[in-house]
Each structure stands twice: as C-alpha cells, then as structure tokens.
C-alpha cells in the first residue's frame, strides 16, 4: 500500500512537472496566434462550443486569405467565471503572445477581459457578450465585437410592439447587466411611441423558477409580454409560459435569444413566438444556406447565432490578414484594416461602427415548425448609439 | 522554535527561497509571475480558512464572504481616481472586515457542526445577492478599480503595484507573514486555549474560559486576514466581482485546505499549489480536464488520509 | 393581490415545495442514517434528468424511460456506495465533503462527454398534457398536479416504510445507535448500501419527473443543491418529516417572496433559515 501511494504520487509529480515544462518550451513566431477564451464547461458551454466551431469553420474555409500563414489556436475554458477572466486573458496575452483573443460569452467575463486587454498589443474580438459598455464607455481601438450590443436586438421590438397596437406591456428578465440593458432598450423605443410598461419583473439571476412571476403576469393581463432569457432559462420560460396557459392569450415577444438554439428543447411551446435578432436560422440568402450546410456537415448539429458570431470573428480575421498581405505586425494598420472591413456574414452584410460594434440588420422572426422564419426587417443597418464611447 | 515540525521547516526552507528566486528565472514571462501571485493570494485566504476549520474546529462555508468584502470595501471607501496609501487602506479594510466578522460571528458561533456550515453559507449567500443585485457596485458584472494604491511609507515608495514583479514580492511577503503570524498565534497562550477548545470544549469551559469569546476572536482574526487576501486579489487586476463571495469560492478553498492537510497551516499553501497546478496543467492537456481533476481528488482523499502535509509528515517525521 | 392570484401562488408554492421535498428526502435520509454528507446529491438529480431525456429519445415512452432511469440510478447508488462511500465511514465530515466534491466534478464531466452541453427538453407525456383553467387567463397544467401527487405518494410510502416495516426499523435503529445495531448481528454495511442507493434514487426520480417541467442543462445539479441543504437544515438533519415541512416552507416562502418582496426575494430562503436556526439551532424536528 505504501509503495502504491508513493508510486502514484511520483507519477503525478512527474506528470505535472512535464506538462508545466512543456508549456514553457512550446513557442514559435510563424503562425498567427488566436487565443480563444470561451466557456467549454458549465451552463454556457453550448454557446462556447458553437462560437469555437464557427470560428474554426471560417478560418478553415478562408485559409487562402491568410497568405500562407498558419493559425495556432490556444483554447482556454473560462467556465463563464468572471473572476478567472483577468488571469486567462493575461495568460493569452503575456504567455502565449496571442495576436487575436476571441471571447467571451458572458458579459461579466468580458469586463474582466477588457480590464486586462484594453489598449494592449493584441486584438480582442468579442463573439457574444453584449454588454453595452464594451462598445460604450469602455471602448478601445483594439476591442472589436462581431456579435451585438444588448441594445441592438431589443430596440426594434419596441416599434414592432407599437405597430401591433399593444399599449400595456410587462417586461421580464434576469436581474443582471444583459437583462437590464435589453429591457431598457425595448422600453426606450416602446415608451417613445406612447406605450406603457405596466410592470418590470426582474428575476434574481440565475433563478429559473418562473411559476410565481408567470402567475402574476396572468393576473395583470397585459397586451403583451417582452422578455430577455437565453439558453436553459429560455427553454424553461417558454415551456412554463405555455404550460400555464398564457400562450395564445397574451402574446409573447422577446429578444431573439429566447428562441436561439433552444427550439428543439422547447418543442411545440415555441411555435408562433415573435422575436427580434440580428440573425434567423431561416434567413434566405446564399451565404447563410451554404454556412448552415457546411456547419451541419462538419459538426453534426444545427448552427445558431452563437456559431454565426464566431464565424464572423473568423471572417474578420481572415479578411484583415488578407488586406495586409499576411503581415499583421503593425497593429495600427491591422486595426484600420479591420475597421474598414465589410463582412459577408450569414446574417447579411455587416460593417463596423466607430465604436467597433457591428452595423447590421435586425430581423423580426417567428417560430414556424421549430425554425425562426424571417417575417420582416424592422431595422436595417442598425447602429448602436455607443453612448459614452470616445472613439 | 517557531516551526516545530520537521516537515514544516523543510517546506518553509524549500518553498520560500524558491519563490524568492522564481521571478529571476522567469524574467521574460510575466505571465507565470502573475499566475503564481494569484495562487499565493488565494493561499493566504485558504490558510485563514484552514486556521478556522483545522485549528479552531469551526467549519464555515461562508468564508468567501470576507474574501469578497476585501475587494468591495475598497471599492466603497477608496476614491475612484486617486491613489490612496496601500498600508492605511489595508488597516481600514481589515478593521471594517473585523467589525463585520464580530457581528456575524456573534450570531453564527452559537451553532455547531452542520448547522454552522449552513448558517455561514446563508450569510455569504445574502452578501452575494446583495452585491449581485446592486446597481451601485456594478451588479453581477462587477466593477473596475482604476487607480491602484501607492505603497509609500513616509514618502519612501516601496512597491510599484503596477509592476507584476513588485506585486509578486508584496504577495510573497504577505504569504510568509501570514504563516508566521498564524504560527505565533498557535504557539501563544491564546492559541493553546483555542487548541484546548477544539479538543474538549466541555473541559475548557470547566476550567473557566469563555469559549464563545475565544472563538469569536479567532473568527474575527481569520476573517480579517481573509479580507486582506481578497483586497490583494482585487488589486492584482483591478477587478471586483460578486463571484468572489460565492459559495463555490468557499468550497474551493475548503477543498484546497483539506487536500493540503487540514489544520497544518503550511498545508494550505501546499494544497493551493497542488490544486491550482493540477488544474492548470490538466486544462492544457485535455478538454475533459474536469473528469481527471475529479478523479484525482477522489484518489487523493482515499490515499492521503491527512492530506498532502499528512503524507509528507508520515514520511519525514519518523524516527 | 387578488384572492384568485393568492390561490394560484399557493398552489405554485406547494408544488415547488413538494418537488424540493422529493429531492431533499434522499439527502436527509443518507445523512440521518449514515452520517454522510453527500454533496453530489444534486448531481444525481441531474443524472436522473439526463437519463430521462436519453431514454425518451430511445423508447419514446416516458413511463418506460422513468422506470429504466430509476433502476440505473439505484445501480449507480449501489456501485458508488460500495467503491467510494464505504471508505468514508470512519473519516470525518471534511473528507466526505472533499470526496463528494470530486464526485460532482466527475459527474459533470461525464454529462458533458455523454450528452453534450446543449439545453435539452423532454415533452410532457400526451396523457397529461391537459390543463385546468383557474382564471380567465391562467390555467394549471395537469402534469404539475401529477408531480405533486407523486411527491405526496412517495412521502407516504417513505413514512410507511420507515415506521411500519422491518427495514424502516433498522433505519431508525441505525440512526440512533450504529454500534448497537451491529452488535445485534445486523449486517450494517448492507443496510447502508440499501439506504444510500434509495437516497440517490430518490434524487434521480425527482430529476426524471421534473424533466418535462425544467430545462436540462449543465450545472442543474448545483443549482438545486443549495435549496436542498436549506430544506434539510430547516427541517432538521435526518428527519424526513422535517424535510417535508421544511420543503413546503421553503417553497411557499420563495414563491410569495418573489412577488411580494422582489428586492429581497433572492435572499429570502436564507433569511428564513437563519431565523429558524436562531430559534431552534437544531432545525425544526431534529432526531
């Protein structure tokens, strides 16, 4: 028994030492280093996986644009934990000298990342986190976003609600930055046209027991309900909304994340829900059709907005590298090249605002047979107002 | 002698000199310096928990509350764009944290065993939700610290906190001081009463000691040091987040202290080093690092009955 | 609040509480009889949900899926007890904490490997997809009533088992005085295996029947774990009756607080627990 323990321990120590040493030795100057910090475990793991898949697909498809340079991926699991963000970001920057750092999903992690990476010698591309601040008060020349700001997908829904003659609306979301910003954007547009927010329900994050709140909504009986929920919470909310009988009686509107990557889990409860988002799986254009097909073939599952955003991050890198002929050592030139890039994204054409946020169409979608079909384009080439950004 | 166990002396004489020289070997690589700094800061926190759980027998799942408070108190009292004095603010933060600990301890120390675990957890959760739901302190996304304190005493600047190597030495110094301090405490009369309370509360009371008061003192002490660790953590990257207060942070610290060897104090440093080291290397090896991490933890619990320090002591302390 | 809304919230609170009881009952049973604090209890809830999803995919029958999942959970419980938990009996609570945390990691990693990280859903079985109208707008799903009834039924079965059967007698005896039971010639280790397996199965069954009402995501185990602990501590460690009352209390307080005191609602169950512990430091019905 003694010998077993000793053996195991020595083995362990040897393994640890070897791996630690291997970290110090691995390093070469030739490939373009793309650091990826996304959640690969925990509640946001599906979003992290999709983003990484999209990123890799784009860089693989556009390998020719890289002028012979290889891509070296350095992937680190953030576990969607904000307290790990500065450490992981500084690892990708200081240890691995990443040229690009792609991440994160979670806005709290984004804050931690920005603290470390702002104005440093690397380009940070956000493939999801929508915190308004990233392209607002905290904007910086080396921070780009290929996803959205929380304001963007929700703002046009205010107009849609007014056009549908809704006067009294209840809004609901989790009580955190992303939720608040989303509801505020809807409220901004809705109240500007004379609508009234009868009640705003903030659920402690990440609670998914919605019964009591839904019962209250049933009692208030508004003209419509606007919500922001994503991932597992979105699945439960939509199912509970239906189960309690509110579906069909009180129209449910949402920021598109409500039905992104969740429709198969939500089943028939998702049918007929209208949402606004900068993408729709049913979007009918060449790029999207090809993208969805390639994604399905390569990864065996359906692409969603998180994959598209990751894909566009890859596209952005490829296009910028192409413009500079493969030499990205001049960061200022790289930033200029990225700023002027127009992406032919599966979501439509995307360009970047001064604050480095995408200028994009927002689509009104409705779930038909488990697919988000595009009904209308309530806002074309919508630019986030970037309040507080000094760029 | 202060470090009376041979193993502990060996550890101190190996670890601290190595740690002192480390930045010289890693000059180009500030990442490893920063990573070690983070590990050392957490080791301070784990040590304070180890003292509470291992020496005093007070098992708490809410210790991370003070860790988070260390950062949040700083955010609350320090001006946003002005560099304050590091030493003075250390005093403020520890004092405020101690005051909070006195109140919480007063309520919590009446319970014992599983109930103490739960009620300390309850308070930590309340603190977590307080900061997470608050709009004033950044809410769930956390808040930045824009200006780091200045460490001069009487005008003589000691460490530049923006410099990772300086900050590393500050944290190393803090770690050593914490171990030294806890050793002094355990060897003092106060410490011996605490040991006696841990071993046999009934008899100690019979001897006339007010065990509640002694426990309260120990709790306050450990909490103030936990807050100091949190303060250092916040200063490293200038970022405070409610997750610092989460029960999972307390849980991680507990895991590291048990792994290292509960009650040994220097075991806390060992446990933190090994746990973080394993996490780091496994993450780089495989995407399914969590599986191996879990399996290794299970193996270590079964094989090392008194933690890693226990195992080492078994090897080295035999006549 | 109107009377009809109050009535609806009352039902919500009770139903939530009953489900919490089902999950927590296994935890308190294991602790009460064996003195083991199983932090991986929430993971078994998760395992139940994922197994339910998997077998519904394979067999298209919810009932069949539920049965298979329960049996697998029982087997997992037996295996885990024999290989890992057995080694903890002479060790202290802290080692149990550490080992069961290691188990949480392993379960979470396996979940990610076997079933992936996408949110999954199970549809409510056809037979119970109707709803009872409560107000003009709100209707109450029959399935939730079914879940509540199942929880009550299981509570009744547990009561019967513990108070009226030989196994229950052994459980109660083992709770009070383990050594004496051993001296009387009872194979205590086999008893422990059975108790642990039942405890774990209860959590998994809760996961199975809750699956159509919840979203199946990574981390769902840790989510319920805390609520579970609060319930068990309020009720008194080891007391099934306590867990029942505690769970109903937590369910009701959480539901009503969320609509009456939204600013405090996240902290409410902890305030409740702290309050109860300050008056009755051992919980409501401690053994």
């Amino acid at each position: 028994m003694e010998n077993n323990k000793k053996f195991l321990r020595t083995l362990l120590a040897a393994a640890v030492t070897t791996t630690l040493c291997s970290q110090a030795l691995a390093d070469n100057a030739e490939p373009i280093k793309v650091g990826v910090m996304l959640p690969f475990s925990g509640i946001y793991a599906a979003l992290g996986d999709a983003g990484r898949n999209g990123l890799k697909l784009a860089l693989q498809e556009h390998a020719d644009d890289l002028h012979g340079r290889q891509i070296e991926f350095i992937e680190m699991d953030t576990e969607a934990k904000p307290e790990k963000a500065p450490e992981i970001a500084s690892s990708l920057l200081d240890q691995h000298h990443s040229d690009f750092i792609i991440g994160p999903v979670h806005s709290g992690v984004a804050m931690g990342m920005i603290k470390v990476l702002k104005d440093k010698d690397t380009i940070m591309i956000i493939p999801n986190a929508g915190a308004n601040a990233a392209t607002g008060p905290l904007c910086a020349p080396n921070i780009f976003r290929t996803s959205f700001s929380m304001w963007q997908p929700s703002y046009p829904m205010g107009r849609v609600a007014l056009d549908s003659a809704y006067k009294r609306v209840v809004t609901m979301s989790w009580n955190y930055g992303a939720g608040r910003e989303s509801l505020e954007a809807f409220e901004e547009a809705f109240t500007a046209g004379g609508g009234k927010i009868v009640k705003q329900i903030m659920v402690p994050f990440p609670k998914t027991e919605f019964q009591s709140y839904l019962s209250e909504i049933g009692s208030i009986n508004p003209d419509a309900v606007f919500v922001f929920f994503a991932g597992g919470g979105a699945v439960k909310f939509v199912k509970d909304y239906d189960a309690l009988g509110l579906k069909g009686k009180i129209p449910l509107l949402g920021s598109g994340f409500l039905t992104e990557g969740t429709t198969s889990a939500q089943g028939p409860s998702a049918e007929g829900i209208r949402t606004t988002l900068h993408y729709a799986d049913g979007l009918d254009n060449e790029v999207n059709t090809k993208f969805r097909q390639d994604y399905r073939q390569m990864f065996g599952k359906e692409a969603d907005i998180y994959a598209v955003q990751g894909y566009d991050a890859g596209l952005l890198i490829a296009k910028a590298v192409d413009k500079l002929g493969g030499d990205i050592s001049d960061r200022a030139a790289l930033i200029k090249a990225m700023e002027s890039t127009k992406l032919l994204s599966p979501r439509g054409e995307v360009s970047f605002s001064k604050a480095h946020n995408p200028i994009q169409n927002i689509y009104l979608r409705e779930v038909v047979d488990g697919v988000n079909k595009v009904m209308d384009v309530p806002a074309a080439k919508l630019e986030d107002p970037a309040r507080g950004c000094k760029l | 002698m202060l470090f009376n166990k041979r193993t502990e002396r060996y550890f101190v004489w190996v670890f601290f000199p190595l740690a002192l020289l480390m930045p010289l070997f890693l000059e180009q690589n500030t990442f490893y310096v920063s990573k070690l700094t983070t590990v050392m800061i957490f080791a301070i926190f784990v040590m304070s928990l180890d003292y509470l759980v291992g020496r005093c027998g007070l098992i708490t799942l809410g210790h991370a509350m003070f860790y988070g408070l260390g950062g949040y108190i700083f955010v609350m009292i320090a001006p946003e764009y002005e560099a304050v004095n590091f030493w003075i603010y250390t005093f403020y933060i520890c004092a405020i944290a101690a005051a909070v600990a006195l109140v919480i301890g007063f309520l919590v120390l009446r319970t014992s065993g599983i109930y103490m675990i739960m009620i300390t957890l309850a308070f930590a959760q309340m603190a977590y939700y307080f900061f997470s739901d608050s709009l004033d302190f950044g809410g769930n996304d956390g808040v930045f610290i824009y200006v780091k304190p200045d460490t001069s005493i009487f005008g003589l600047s000691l460490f530049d906190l923006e410099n990772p190597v300086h900050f590393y030495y500050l944290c190393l110094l803090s770690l050593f001081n914490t171990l030294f301090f806890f050793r002094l405490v355990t060897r003092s009369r106060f410490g011996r009463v605490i040991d006696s309370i841990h071993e046999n509360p009934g008899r100690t009371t019979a001897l006339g000691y007010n065990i509640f008061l002694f426990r309260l003192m120990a709790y306050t002490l450990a909490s103030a040091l936990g807050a100091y660790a949190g303060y250092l953590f916040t200063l490293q990257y200038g970022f405070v987040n409610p997750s610092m207060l989460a029960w999972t942070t307390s849980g991680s610290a507990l895991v590291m202290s048990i792994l290292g060897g509960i009650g040994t104090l220097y075991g806390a440093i060992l446990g933190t080093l090994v746990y973080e080291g394993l996490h780091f290397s496994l993450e780089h090896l495989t995407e399914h690092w969590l599986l191996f991490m879990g399996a290794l933890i299970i193996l270590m619990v079964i094989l090392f009955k008194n933690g890693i320090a226990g195992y080492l002591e078994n090897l080295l302390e035999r006549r | 609040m109107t009377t009809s809304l109050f009535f609806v919230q009352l039902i919500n609170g009770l139903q939530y509480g009953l489900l919490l009881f089902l999950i927590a009952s296994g935890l308190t049973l294991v602790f009460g009889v064996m003195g083991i604090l199983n932090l991986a209890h929430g993971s078994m809830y998760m395992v139940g949900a994922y197994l339910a999803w998997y077998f519904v995919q394979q067999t298209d029958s919810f009932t069949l899926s539920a049965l298979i999942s329960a049996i697998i959970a029982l087997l997992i419980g037996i295996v885990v007890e024999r290989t890992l938990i057995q080694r903890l009996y002479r060790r202290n609570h802290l080692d149990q904490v550490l080992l069961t945390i290691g188990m949480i990691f392993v379960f979470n990693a396996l979940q990610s490997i076997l079933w992936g990280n996408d949110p999954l859903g199970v549809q409510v079985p056809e037979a119970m997809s109707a709803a009872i109208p409560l107000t003009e707008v709100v209707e109450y799903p029959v399935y939730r009533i079914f879940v509540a009834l199942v929880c009550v039924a299981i509570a009744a079965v547990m009561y019967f088992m513990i108070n009226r059967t030989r196994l229950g007698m052994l459980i109660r005896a083992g709770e009070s005085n383990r050594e004496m039971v051993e001296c009387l010639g009872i194979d205590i280790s086999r008893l422990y295996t059975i108790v642990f397996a039942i405890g774990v199965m209860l959590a998994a069954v809760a996961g199975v029947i809750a699956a159509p009402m919840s979203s199946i995501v990574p981390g769902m185990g840790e989510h319920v774990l805390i609520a579970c602990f609060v319930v068990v501590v309020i009720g008194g460690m080891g007391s099934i009756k306590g867990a029942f009352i505690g769970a109903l209390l937590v369910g009701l307080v959480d539901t009503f607080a969320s609509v009456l005191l939204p600013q405090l609602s996240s902290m409410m169950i902890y305030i409740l627990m702290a309050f109860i512990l300050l008056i009755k430091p051992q919980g409501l019905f401690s053994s």
Side-chain angles (χ1 to χ4, degrees), chain A residues 285-333:
Chain A
N285 68 50
E286 261 180 46
V287 184
N288 191 32
T289 318
K290 179 169 187 300
F291 165 72
R292 294 195 72 84
Q293 197 178 348
D294 292 340
Y295 191 91
R296 205 177 300 130
Q297 224 166 4
M298 198 165 169
F299 302 108
K301 47 164 83 154
E302 290 301 315
D304 54 24
I305 181 63
Y306 309 107
V308 170
Q309 291 164 168
Y311 183 81
D312 288 345
L315 267 185
L316 182 58
I317 295 176
K319 293 289 159 218
V321 172
D322 188 26
K323 256 187 226 176
L324 296 171
D327 180 9
I328 53 170
S329 49
D330 181 355
R331 297 302 193 207

Side-chain angles (χ1 to χ4, degrees), chain B residues 71-106:
Chain B
Y72 275 106
I73 295 175
F74 183 78
V75 167
M76 286 196 254
I77 61 176
E80 206 174 343
Y81 293 110
E82 199 191 297
V84 299
N85 187 288
F86 174 79
W87 310 104
I88 297 182
Y89 270 73
T90 302
F91 174 73
Y92 285 160
I93 289 170
C94 290
I96 299 177
V100 173
L102 270 171
V103 174
I104 307 250
F106 186 77

Side-chain angles (χ1 to χ4, degrees), chain B residues 115 118 125 133 255 258 301, chain C residues 91 229 233 266 270 273 282:
Chain B
Y115 301 96
M118 291 308 293
Q125 287 291 90
D133 291 345
V255 165
I258 301 172
V301 174
Chain C
R91 312 268 290 265
F229 270 108
V233 166
S266 36
Y270 302 106
M273 179 178 76
Q282 302 287 327

Side-chain angles (χ1 to χ4, degrees), chain B residues 255 258-259 297 301, chain C residues 93-103:
Chain B
V255 165
I258 301 172
L259 205 61
I297 291 178
V301 174
Chain C
H93 282 318
L94 287 174
D95 288 331
Q96 294 167 17
V97 164
L98 190 55
L99 186 113
T100 50
I101 287 182
M103 279 167 58

Side-chain angles (χ1 to χ4, degrees), chain C residues 187-246:
Chain C
D187 183 355
I188 199 108
S189 72
R190 218 174 90 208
L191 177 69
Y192 279 10
T193 310
I194 296 174
V195 168
F196 188 80
I198 292 179
V200 144
M201 189 186 77
L202 283 170
V205 166
V208 168
I209 61 171
M213 308 189 304
S214 56
S215 71
I216 304 174
V217 282
M220 64 189 288
E222 282 73 87
H223 212 51
V224 300
L225 188 65
I226 288 249
C228 248
F229 270 108
V230 172
V231 163
V232 162
V233 166
I234 288 179
M237 290 299 276
S239 162
I240 307 271
K241 183 167 65 176
F244 190 78
I245 304 287

Side-chain angles (χ1 to χ4, degrees), chain A residues 314-381:
Chain A
L315 267 185
L316 182 58
I317 295 176
K319 293 289 159 218
V321 172
D322 188 26
K323 256 187 226 176
L324 296 171
D327 180 9
I328 53 170
S329 49
D330 181 355
R331 297 302 193 207
L334 178 58
I335 290 174
K336 267 197 132 61
M338 288 172 77
E339 281 173 345
S340 59
T341 302
K342 288 204 195 324
L343 297 176
L344 266 178
S345 159
R347 64 182 111 167
E349 194 187 87
V350 171
S351 59
F352 291 96
S353 65
K354 278 229 199 67
H356 297 172
N357 203 51
I359 301 178
Q360 54 194 341
N361 296 339
I362 306 293
Y363 305 100
L364 175 64
R365 313 126 31 108
E366 188 176 317
V367 179
V368 175
D369 285 334
V371 174
N372 284 296
K373 290 233 168 320
V374 179
M375 296 286 134
D376 191 14
V377 186
K381 302 226 186 304

